[in-house]
Amino acid sequence: MTRAKPEDDEYWNSSKFKAFTFDDEDDEFSQLKESKRAVNSILVDDDDEDEEDVERVSWSGEPVGSISWSVKETASSIRSGSEQSFPKIDTTPSLSKQGSGYSLSSLFKAKSKPGAFQSFSESFSDTSSRTYAPELRKPKSGGKDVVSDLSPEETVRRMQKGRAFSLEKFCSLQDKLLLLDEAVAVYDGNVITAVLIFLKKSLSKEILFRELMARDVALRHYVHYLKEMGEQKLVVELLKALGRTEDMALMHYKEHLNIKDESRRRDFLKSCLSLPFSQDDATHVQDHYTLLERQIIIEASDKKAVAEIFKKFPRKASILNMPIITTLYYSCFYHYGESEGTFSSPSNIRKTFRISEKQYILTALGARAKLKSWFDVDSLFNTKNWLGYTKKRSPIGFHRVVDILHKNSAPVQVLQEYVNLIDDPDLKLSGALKYKCHDIVINTYRDLKDRQQLIVYREKLERDSPEYRKIQELLNNVQIRWKN
Amino acid sequence: MASHLFCGRVNLNILREAARKDLREFLDKCSGSKAIVWDEYLTGPFGLIAQYSLLKEHEVEKMFTLKAGRIPSAAVKNIVFFVRPRLELMDIIAENVASEDKLQPRDVHILFVPRRSLLCEQRLKEKGVLNSFTNIDEYILDLIPYDGDLLSMESESSFRECYLENDQTSLYHAAKGLMNLQALYGTIPQIFGKGECARHVANMMLRMKREFAGSQTQILPVFDTLLLLDRNVDLLTPLATQLTYEGLIDEIFGITNGYVKLPPEKFAQKKQGEGGKELPTEPKKLQLNSAEELYAEIRDKNFNAVGAALSKKAKIISAAFEERHNAKTVGEIKQFVSQLPHMQAARSSLANHTSIAELIKDITTDSWLYFILCNMVRNAHLNMPDVFSQTALLSCVSASEDFFDSLTVEQEFMTGVDTDKVSTYIEDCIAQKDPLIKILRLVCMQSVCNNGLKQKVLDYYKKEILQTYGYKHILTLKNLEKVGLLKPQSTMRNNYPTIRKTLKLWMEDANEQNPNDISYVYSGYAPLSVRLTQVLARPGWRSIEEVLKMLPGPHFEERQQVPTGLHKKRQPGENRTTLVFFLGGVTYAEIAALRFLSNMEDSGTEYIIAATKLINGTSWIKSLMDSPEENLP
């Protein structure tokens, strides 16, 4: 967004979250509100007229009279009395069926013959009229179609139009393939699928797979069809035959989403490990399996855990199927300090799942801060140099650390310590301002020799507070060479 | 009722009327009283065609939602299922039909929308109920008139089907829809296209036309040109946050079938004497289209220009109501009263949009303000005293920054800043467990703007995402890779900067108040798809051959013969009409940009827009996820 013109700024400035305002008086938005109020006050007593020209909307949300509204309406009020029928009104008496020029149906429909014969073998017959695409030349014949010795072209055409057809006469492989190719040539997925169903029934798997390999479009429809039908096994087989082993592996893996029972899901994931995934994915799937296995163990033991922490902070949900970072958080919350040998210890999890230092620190920090274990927080960032001095170091900026501590309502003393560790002077100052670390703000302005800012800041403080006095002293200090 | 369809250059109400007539004819075919059982998904699209009153006129007495088990009792002669051709729905229908009362048989019908499917019929046959149906029919609802210049197929998963699952059924429907459109509005003489799917649709159209040669419609062509565009030619645009009023409504609240659901608090009308009335808790649902004068006026504006427009409107309306004091004579009073309904509609429309603007502002403003301030400071257009600016900025920083931050990152990516490194912003968002879709949107955007990510960067993002959101998202990441939204950098050079420069995709000084270029819809970024459209009209694609070659899929031109005597004789100064069809979906901001082009004084072309679906980055990415509903934080 680029700069807006001043007059419009006024509109925005008057947000109810008044972060900052250029000018409180006479802004357009309050005017707008006022005018809205004024306008509202006129003629309020007549509700009904109010909405006359506007579409009626019920408070359930749906516009009154719309279809979705009526579905609810008629479904909820089951009226008795079947006699109550609505008068039928012919709204288009003047338009003749054929010549209106407005109707799709008059252009594209074959005449209907209700109650046409219904014979079903490998053929689909006419049950009534069919609607189809532009087609005016065709004779308007209904159920009396003669289904005999038709070419692939004619058969496909009949299928498209929803007329009776028979596929059984396509006996030889060659005929079948001609039929398939013709179906593909008209692009009609519906017809292609119908032909494929027929081929699936009448050809051996191997031959069908072989022929499909040379027919890309048909193949895609076939895969889609099998997926629709839930024939996962066959899809997997097909993909394997096609050499698309990675797709096959992923397809198989996807099945785990449908397995609710965790032990069965775990076993299923285990069976996925040997599948030909890409190298990356293989690692991820392995991790997925290991994680669930681990979660099942932790869940079983924690469900009946009696440790103090579980009483103080009862678990809200099971840890099963949670992402690894969530699991790590859980572990840092309930199992902090356990030795690396246990499955549930943070260090073990960190190592097993190759969690980056950054992610680990963030997660552990979140969990320990939530518990207000400031000591643990402190030790997270302690590093010893070769002289044995401890120094605070963090892979994530200390400003982020401060944010997280603040979110977990850390006391000012704790915040102050970390604000002080922020490297970037601007970020440090903004952090100090944001979290009211007065000492840091004052010291920063002092170091900047910024007298004006100190004066401004003093106004925000309570009179006679220690901070206030500190500024007072500084301002009275004649030794400092102020820059302003 | 459908006044919004008349106002465009092409009367799309013809299409709606045709669809309504079809519906009536089908209903009349099932003579006698009837109950409709709805596939719930269809009620939205059907709402764009007909109201309940039309159904009632044709003896529809009850309506139910399709559910397993028994159909609720209703003393009607016919039961009619309105369903999409989906197998899982067939199973429900079979169950419904099987549990019908054998002693009181009712006629059962099924209406497939938009097309019948032999697969579904086979399923019904397997379940042994196919013969129970008196009528099996299809209701062609390919292109639904959505607004005066807008058609949608409302086909949710079209992009996924075409580009991920290689299922081109929705393209077949698109081609059929275009054939129907030509039957009503005349043959479209020129077809342009870019992309594999565009090519495919054009091929199907040409073939269908050959097959039905001889059945030429004798209608003077309404459209001069059809432009077919693949969504995957421009993967970038939907990923960016739309910044028009309508676009933001869609981004924040989601517009479905022309309706938006809003939190009710801001809409509670305080009426006199109803002091203690409780606030409504259900969302407020509003219809949004150009029938509403005010909405038509502001929908396509950049959100930064909406405040001024609303306040101007408020003054006009207030003034209009004040007029009553000046009405002295009976004639004048009569005149005033006759205008009242219109004025009241305008007033309630204003109240609604002020409330919506407030809602959006709550989410975007603080960051907006901060942004404006930053710009001021940076450009030093305003000499604020030091102290003032600093504290002001800082207090803004503490407010909600999210919207602004993510906008900044988007704009950096689109201008090519740091697209080859891991973005600390994205990293932070993952650490904070922001919604996965937001993360994916940004990562994909970075990938698209860098023509693929460095392997190391890609691997890093993937690992972080899987660890934080769950390993099962391997599947989603794979899907994004398959459609090209996420990819490792190939050995090829990053050509995005060339595309950006040639097509002027980034305009430094986008004017949001009085735009002079389409880039205002994204406050700087000009949607690639619309640029292609603009260049096609003038000076023509030949001028950008190089860039077209860099974008995926072929580009082509076809001509369709128009029967002699039907050649349009254009009056001097008369605009051309182009239908732009987005295969795989279009965003509201793109529509706004095309409307902007239509309204430009010297553009010479007016645009009608068609799409498989109206999308935004969120709905789009969601459609590509596997099991998106669970595990969204």
Side-chain angles (χ1 to χ4, degrees):
Chain A
M1 316 245 64
T2 52
R3 257 174 345 102
K5 285 187 180 162
E7 67 203 80
D8 311 303
D9 293 345
E10 281 170 16
Y11 178 78
W12 302 124
N13 293 341
S14 54
S15 149
K16 75 175 186 189
F17 295 115
K18 257 197 184 80
F20 157 70
T21 315
F22 283 108
D23 189 357
D24 277 333
E25 304 293 321
D26 196 39
D27 62 85
E28 295 219 16
F29 186 62
S30 62
Q31 275 178 16
L32 177 61
K33 281 225 147 155
E34 224 163 81
S35 49
K36 187 171 142 193
R37 225 174 295 129
V39 171
N40 269 331
S41 67
I42 315 168
L43 302 154
V44 274
D45 40 3
D46 211 342
D47 301 2
D48 289 335
E49 253 177 48
D50 209 347
E51 292 174 336
E52 206 165 56
D53 272 19
V54 190
E55 187 165 9
R56 287 173 149 274
V57 176
S58 73
W59 267 110
S60 70
E62 310 290 342
V64 175
S66 79
I67 288 175
S68 41
W69 175 79
S70 314
V71 171
K72 286 181 195 141
E73 199 68 359
T74 61
S76 57
S77 68
I78 296 180
R79 281 165 294 163
S80 57
S82 59
E83 281 11 34
Q84 191 189 10
S85 67
F86 296 93
K88 211 183 124 201
I89 301 161
D90 190 358
T91 48
T92 54
S94 58
L95 295 176
S96 75
K97 285 256 170 193
Q98 258 87 35
S100 77
Y102 282 97
S103 163
L104 291 171
S105 56
S106 61
L107 286 170
F108 309 141
K109 259 186 197 160
K111 264 278 179 282
S112 72
K113 279 214 175 149
F117 72 94
Q118 297 178 359
S119 80
F120 254 90
S121 54
E122 199 51 59
S123 61
F124 291 84
S125 79
D126 226 52
T127 42
S128 81
S129 86
R130 306 293 191 231
T131 315
Y132 49 85
E135 170 62 343
L136 294 175
R137 297 168 299 144
K138 286 289 150 191
K140 287 167 177 170
S141 57
K144 279 188 214 154
D145 287 323
V146 187
V147 189
S148 66
D149 197 36
L150 293 170
S151 63
E153 290 84 3
E154 189 55 28
T155 305
V156 165
R157 199 152 299 168
R158 296 181 81 89
M159 291 170 83
Q160 269 190 295
K161 271 147 221 164
R163 281 196 254 139
F165 63 90
S166 162
L167 298 179
E168 279 165 334
K169 68 193 172 53
F170 295 93
C171 297
S172 73
L173 177 62
Q174 201 199 347
D175 284 349
K176 283 175 184 168
L177 293 175
L178 279 175
L179 180 68
L180 180 61
D181 291 339
E182 183 58 28
V184 168
V186 298
Y187 302 113
D188 189 333
N190 187 25
V191 174
I192 299 172
T193 307
V195 172
L196 285 169
I197 296 172
F198 167 63
L199 295 191
K200 181 174 174 246
K201 278 187 193 157
S202 61
L203 288 176
S204 79
K205 207 161 57 189
E206 289 72 26
I207 295 174
L208 181 58
F209 283 7
R210 190 191 70 209
E211 294 301 333
L212 284 177
M213 274 179 222
R215 289 170 176 79
D216 199 35
V217 177
L219 175 68
R220 287 185 230 148
H221 279 277
Y222 191 60
V223 171
H224 187 69
Y225 161 71
L226 292 179
K227 282 187 192 168
E228 280 277 289
M229 300 299 287
E231 299 201 41
Q232 298 297 336
K233 273 208 184 103
L234 206 51
V235 182
V236 169
E237 244 179 276
L238 177 60
L239 291 173
K240 210 171 180 176
L242 291 169
R244 286 163 56 183
T245 49
E246 207 190 317
D247 285 344
M248 184 268 286
L250 285 165
M251 178 104 205
H252 190 77
Y253 167 75
K254 188 178 173 177
E255 276 295 285
H256 85 265
L257 292 170
N258 301 324
I259 302 172
K260 292 283 165 282
D261 178 75
E262 64 267 12
S263 318
R264 280 191 49 228
R265 191 184 256 214
R266 176 197 56 201
D267 297 343
F268 182 86
L269 286 172
K270 193 173 184 184
S271 77
C272 288
L273 296 179
S274 56
L275 295 172
F277 290 105
S278 71
Q279 207 184 340
D280 278 0
D281 290 343
T283 325
H284 298 316
V285 174
Q286 171 74 54
D287 283 346
H288 192 171
Y289 163 70
T290 317
L291 177 61
L292 184 57
E293 190 187 33
R294 192 71 68 88
Q295 285 171 338
I296 291 173
I297 297 169
I298 298 174
E299 181 68 21
S301 89
D302 284 4
K303 240 195 296 198
K304 42 183 196 279
V306 286
E308 191 59 31
I309 179 101
F310 289 98
K311 279 185 208 143
K312 214 167 154 196
F313 303 95
R315 302 182 330 142
K316 289 196 186 93
S318 116
I319 193 65
L320 294 171
N321 295 316
M322 291 296 163
I324 177 62
I325 294 297
T326 314
T327 311
L328 178 64
Y329 182 90
Y330 175 93
S331 150
C332 289
F333 196 91
Y334 289 110
H335 299 278
Y336 206 67
E338 283 178 15
S339 72
E340 203 181 316
T342 59
F343 274 162
S344 51
S345 75
S347 46
N348 188 310
I349 289 178
R350 176 183 178 182
K351 211 167 150 195
T352 312
F353 296 95
R354 303 170 309 284
I355 290 164
S356 67
E357 191 191 7
K358 224 174 186 174
Q359 278 281 24
Y360 176 76
I361 296 282
L362 269 174
T363 312
L365 173 63
R368 299 325 287 171
K370 183 99 193 160
L371 288 167
K372 313 223 179 302
S373 310
W374 310 123
F375 176 78
D376 289 340
V377 168
D378 201 49
S379 46
L380 267 178
F381 301 104
N382 280 343
T383 48
K384 282 201 171 79
N385 68 6
W386 56 280
L387 286 172
Y389 295 119
T390 53
K391 193 177 180 291
K392 288 250 185 307
R393 202 184 60 82
S394 166
I396 49 173
F398 275 109
H399 64 286
R400 297 272 325 275
V401 175
V402 173
D403 283 342
I404 292 169
L405 289 172
H406 176 72
K407 261 181 214 150
N408 289 294
S409 37
V412 176
Q413 305 87 286
V414 176
L415 282 177
Q416 186 147 319
E417 188 185 346
Y418 289 93
V419 170
N420 242 334
L421 289 166
I422 299 175
D423 281 334
D424 183 304
D426 291 341
L427 278 177
K428 185 184 200 167
L429 180 59
S430 71
L433 284 167
K434 200 160 147 188
Y435 302 121
K436 303 201 168 49
C437 305
H438 304 305
D439 276 350
I440 299 174
V441 176
I442 295 166
N443 292 343
T444 310
Y445 286 144
R446 182 198 60 203
D447 295 347
L448 290 170
K449 312 223 182 301
D450 196 335
R451 190 182 152 86
Q452 291 302 323
Q453 290 285 17
L454 268 182
I455 294 172
V456 172
Y457 198 73
R458 186 183 57 182
E459 298 314 308
K460 293 182 183 166
L461 300 172
E462 244 173 83
R463 239 168 222 287
D464 291 330
S465 60
E467 297 82 19
Y468 189 92
R469 268 181 272 130
K470 185 171 173 185
I471 296 183
Q472 220 37 49
E473 274 165 34
L474 281 170
L475 291 175
N476 293 335
N477 188 335
V478 286
Q479 309 253 305
I480 304 173
R481 295 182 161 207
W482 299 106
K483 73 168 184 190
N484 49 21
Chain B
M1 189 178 280
S3 58
H4 58 288
L5 299 179
F6 289 104
C7 48
R9 177 180 172 87
V10 174
N11 182 359
L12 294 181
N13 200 44
I14 296 175
L15 188 62
R16 185 172 184 266
E17 275 309 317
R20 287 163 71 90
K21 185 147 189 284
D22 256 7
L23 185 59
R24 288 195 204 102
E25 278 174 14
F26 173 78
L27 290 172
D28 288 345
K29 206 164 8 178
C30 323
S31 60
S33 61
K34 46 196 144 288
I36 295 180
V37 182
W38 287 95
D39 170 357
E40 203 165 10
Y41 178 87
L42 288 175
T43 57
F46 264 84
L48 295 165
I49 300 292
Q51 297 271 298
Y52 182 46
S53 57
L54 180 140
L55 303 177
K56 234 156 103 179
E57 280 163 17
H58 293 265
E59 298 179 84
V60 175
E61 295 184 2
K62 301 259 171 180
M63 306 222 275
F64 306 111
T65 320
L66 184 62
K67 272 197 287 270
R70 282 182 71 115
I71 302 169
S73 68
V76 287
K77 190 167 164 282
N78 299 285
I79 297 287
V80 191
F81 292 96
F82 277 38
V83 287
R84 287 167 295 165
R86 297 231 174 162
L87 288 175
E88 65 271 20
L89 299 179
M90 295 309 112
D91 296 346
I92 301 177
I93 290 178
E95 201 182 329
N96 280 181
V97 171
S99 49
E100 274 283 279
D101 192 346
K102 299 283 179 302
L103 299 171
Q104 291 176 307
R106 297 185 281 194
D107 288 347
V108 195
H109 316 263
I110 191 164
L111 187 66
F112 284 111
V113 186
R115 224 158 287 273
R116 49 189 298 179
S117 131
L118 292 164
L119 189 56
C120 287
E121 285 168 49
Q122 200 210 13
R123 174 62 67 92
L124 291 172
K125 188 181 154 199
E126 281 165 13
K127 298 260 173 183
V129 293
L130 190 68
N131 289 331
S132 317
F133 293 97
T134 318
N135 269 310
I136 296 183
D137 218 326
E138 65 184 1
Y139 183 70
I140 302 176
L141 197 64
D142 287 329
L143 284 168
I144 307 166
Y146 208 93
D147 211 329
D149 56 357
L150 181 58
L151 300 162
S152 168
M153 290 170 63
E154 292 298 271
S155 157
E156 200 107 51
S157 49
S158 162
F159 183 85
R160 183 185 171 108
E161 284 164 15
C162 290
Y163 299 95
L164 184 61
E165 286 159 5
N166 281 317
D167 172 2
Q168 293 167 333
T169 310
S170 68
L171 296 181
Y172 178 74
H173 291 170
K176 284 275 188 188
L178 283 164
M179 295 312 283
N180 290 346
L181 204 68
Q182 292 186 86
L184 294 169
Y185 296 94
T187 303
I188 307 175
Q190 259 186 323
I191 303 177
F192 290 93
K194 171 71 188 165
E196 292 292 345
C197 292
R199 182 69 264 181
H200 190 62
V201 169
N203 285 349
M204 283 191 275
M205 285 174 70
L206 295 173
R207 178 174 167 130
M208 288 172 191
K209 186 162 154 78
R210 268 202 305 281
E211 276 176 19
F212 307 124
S215 63
Q216 287 280 10
T217 44
Q218 296 297 313
I219 296 171
L220 197 68
V222 173
F223 298 101
D224 300 285
T225 309
L226 166 66
L227 170 59
L228 296 161
L229 281 177
D230 272 35
R231 184 73 271 175
N232 83 338
V233 170
D234 174 12
L235 293 171
L236 174 54
T237 301
L239 294 171
T241 303
Q242 309 171 69
L243 296 175
T244 57
Y245 181 52
E246 189 167 40
L248 272 171
I249 295 178
D250 189 39
E251 295 276 346
I252 298 170
F253 304 106
I255 301 175
T256 338
N257 303 126
Y259 288 89
V260 65
K261 280 187 185 162
L262 299 159
E265 304 87 54
K266 297 238 173 185
F267 295 91
Q269 281 181 359
K270 286 194 189 71
K271 287 182 180 158
Q272 283 159 2
E274 295 181 51
K277 205 177 172 187
E278 273 180 43
L279 284 177
T281 46
E282 283 201 53
K284 165 106 171 159
K285 194 164 172 180
L286 280 178
Q287 188 172 25
L288 299 173
N289 64 39
S290 51
E292 192 184 345
E293 196 187 312
L294 175 64
Y295 187 61
E297 215 172 284
I298 58 173
R299 67 196 306 185
D300 299 321
K301 285 189 188 300
N302 186 290
F303 189 63
N304 270 348
V306 168
L310 284 177
S311 99
K312 204 171 111 196
K313 194 77 180 178
K315 280 178 190 152
I316 294 170
I317 292 176
S318 288
F321 274 99
E322 284 308 308
E323 279 293 302
R324 72 183 191 279
H325 298 306
N326 301 335
K328 299 274 189 293
T329 68
V330 176
E332 279 167 351
I333 292 170
K334 215 171 154 188
Q335 165 101 25
F336 177 80
V337 171
S338 74
Q339 286 169 353
L340 264 182
H342 177 74
M343 284 159 61
Q344 279 171 342
R347 190 200 65 187
S348 83
S349 158
L350 177 69
N352 281 341
H353 288 290
T354 312
S355 304
I356 298 175
E358 278 180 287
L359 284 169
I360 296 178
K361 202 157 61 70
D362 287 352
I363 291 166
T364 59
T365 286
D366 293 319
S367 34
W368 224 282
L369 193 64
Y370 172 64
F371 186 83
I372 293 162
L373 279 167
C374 282
N375 262 319
M376 284 176 175
V377 175
R378 205 184 307 142
N379 303 340
H381 282 312
L382 204 94
N383 277 328
M384 283 188 286
D386 263 359
V387 183
F388 182 53
S389 68
Q390 201 174 16
T391 34
L393 278 176
L394 288 172
S395 64
C396 286
V397 177
S398 64
S400 131
E401 307 162 29
D402 202 42
F403 186 82
F404 165 73
D405 283 348
S406 117
L407 214 60
T408 313
V409 172
E410 281 182 19
Q411 300 202 340
E412 277 173 10
F413 286 161
M414 287 191 287
T415 46
V417 176
D418 285 344
T419 46
D420 55 348
K421 298 195 205 90
V422 169
S423 148
T424 39
Y425 177 71
I426 296 179
E427 216 182 352
D428 289 353
C429 288
I430 296 175
Q432 288 162 31
K433 299 192 183 57
D434 280 357
L436 176 58
I437 290 185
K438 176 186 171 183
I439 310 289
L440 295 175
R441 225 174 134 163
L442 285 169
V443 173
C444 288
M445 185 181 232
Q446 186 178 354
S447 170
V448 172
C449 290
N450 201 48
N451 196 18
L453 295 168
K454 278 187 186 158
Q455 192 66 52
K456 222 176 65 196
V457 176
L458 182 61
D459 289 346
Y460 179 77
Y461 281 141
K462 273 180 161 177
K463 184 181 159 209
E464 293 283 300
I465 289 170
L466 294 176
Q467 288 194 336
T468 307
Y469 298 93
Y471 289 111
K472 66 179 174 192
H473 293 294
I474 298 170
L475 296 163
T476 296
L477 292 175
K478 205 48 117 193
N479 290 349
L480 295 174
E481 281 185 51
K482 275 186 187 157
V483 300
L485 275 166
L486 202 59
K487 58 179 181 185
Q489 209 165 35
S490 63
T491 44
M492 273 186 357
R493 201 166 69 84
N494 175 11
N495 55 22
Y496 175 72
T498 317
I499 298 171
R500 187 183 72 230
K501 278 173 209 145
T502 317
L503 293 179
K504 298 197 179 66
L505 296 186
W506 186 261
M507 303 296 276
E508 219 29 85
D509 316 297
N511 186 338
E512 293 158 351
Q513 305 295 325
N514 299 297
N516 49 15
D517 181 73
I518 55 169
S519 55
Y520 86 93
V521 298
Y522 288 99
S523 289
Y525 167 70
L528 195 159
S529 57
V530 184
R531 265 294 190 255
L532 288 181
T533 314
Q534 192 181 10
V535 173
L536 177 67
R538 194 183 299 165
W541 275 359
R542 219 160 283 164
S543 62
I544 52 163
E545 284 280 340
E546 285 302 305
V547 166
L548 284 174
K549 274 184 206 142
M550 291 176 187
L551 298 169
H555 58 281
F556 60 88
E557 177 183 356
E558 298 283 352
R559 282 177 188 276
Q560 298 200 98
Q561 266 213 317
V562 176
T564 40
L566 290 181
H567 287 286
K568 205 164 161 186
K569 287 171 199 76
R570 208 185 320 278
Q571 305 298 320
E574 192 189 330
N575 282 344
R576 300 172 58 83
T577 306
T578 296
L579 176 66
V580 190
F581 202 133
F582 289 85
L583 301 163
V586 69
T587 65
Y588 285 98
E590 286 173 298
I591 295 169
L594 284 168
R595 285 187 184 138
F596 173 80
L597 290 181
S598 293
N599 295 330
M600 246 167 44
E601 254 172 56
D602 55 346
S603 77
T605 309
E606 286 191 41
Y607 295 98
I608 303 292
I609 302 128
T612 47
K613 175 80 188 158
L614 293 152
I615 57 166
N616 60 45
T618 302
S619 65
W620 190 40
I621 295 286
K622 202 168 178 178
S623 78
L624 292 169
M625 293 174 77
D626 273 316
S627 76
E629 63 291 336
E630 53 168 327
N631 206 36
L632 280 183

